[in-house]
Amino acid sequence: MPLGYTFAMIKPSACRKNHVGPILAMINQAGFRISAIRSTKLDKEEAEQFYEMHRGKEFYESLCDFMSSGPIIAILLEKENAIEDFRKLIGNTNPTMAEEGTIRKMFAESLQKNAVHGSDTPENAEREANFFFNQRERY
Ligand code: CMP
């Protein structure tokens, strides 16, 4: 299987609680290579753009407020079967349903503060990676 990419983000709640190191260690141990990484902070408008596909849903405003409430870590990851394998590593979007040993089971506080984001399709991975990284920042 050819190498593939996925985009991941460590959310403000997990950054605030100093979970960045342990989460990155789990990502590396699962065989992902970090192609690009940056600590940054989204403003409300940027969070709205990033989560554009959820516009209109009842959780959208609150999600965008939360995602712009503090620093995040944006990460481009490379691995065979990257999208699917990363979603397995992080577990169910709702941490109450996440499997033991997954990142969300270990570090999520709630459905919104679910520690990490992971792309769900190659098209979204591409769009989300382009949102944060230019070509010179990817190795
Ligand atoms: P994420 O992987 O970042 O993608 C969209 C986010 O919206 C998701 O993780 C959750 O944090 C949040 N989300 C999804 N569904 C709901 C919901 N029903 N209520 C509140 N937040 C949600």
Side-chain angles (χ1 to χ4, degrees):
M1 191 181 294
L3 287 174
Y5 288 88
T6 192
F7 176 80
M9 188 158 45
I10 303 180
K11 297 191 176 189
S13 48
C15 291
R16 271 195 285 273
K17 293 211 161 171
N18 279 337
H19 294 320
V20 172
I23 290 172
L24 288 177
M26 285 179 75
I27 291 172
N28 276 152
Q29 276 154 19
F32 291 87
R33 188 182 73 78
I34 293 173
S35 167
I37 186 164
R38 172 184 306 135
S39 173
T40 185
K41 186 174 177 298
L42 296 170
D43 63 26
K44 178 84 185 282
E45 223 169 79
E46 290 168 330
E48 287 173 353
Q49 262 181 294
F50 184 86
Y51 281 113
E52 184 64 38
M53 73 287 277
H54 296 299
R55 193 180 286 274
K57 295 183 184 164
E58 33 90 25
F59 60 82
Y60 178 70
E61 276 299 315
S62 158
L63 176 66
C64 294
D65 281 336
F66 163 60
M67 289 303 297
S68 54
S69 69
I72 57 97
I73 310 291
I75 319 162
L76 181 60
L77 294 169
E78 184 186 43
K79 187 184 183 298
E80 283 181 2
N81 209 24
I83 291 175
E84 198 181 316
D85 285 3
F86 190 70
R87 289 174 74 81
K88 273 188 207 145
L89 176 66
I90 63 181
N92 196 291
T93 306
N94 186 339
T96 63
M97 294 192 276
E99 305 72 9
E100 284 301 326
T102 60
I103 291 177
R104 282 173 171 157
K105 182 72 179 181
M106 294 172 76
F107 301 110
E109 294 171 48
S110 66
L111 178 52
Q112 182 175 86
K113 298 178 178 173
N114 60 355
V116 285
H117 165 81
S119 308
D120 57 354
T121 63
E123 295 71 31
N124 279 339
E126 175 83 17
R127 184 186 72 82
E128 293 169 1
N130 289 339
F131 194 93
F132 286 95
F133 301 114
N134 64 40
Q135 288 303 326
R136 289 192 58 203
E137 294 168 307
R138 306 174 190 200
Y139 297 97

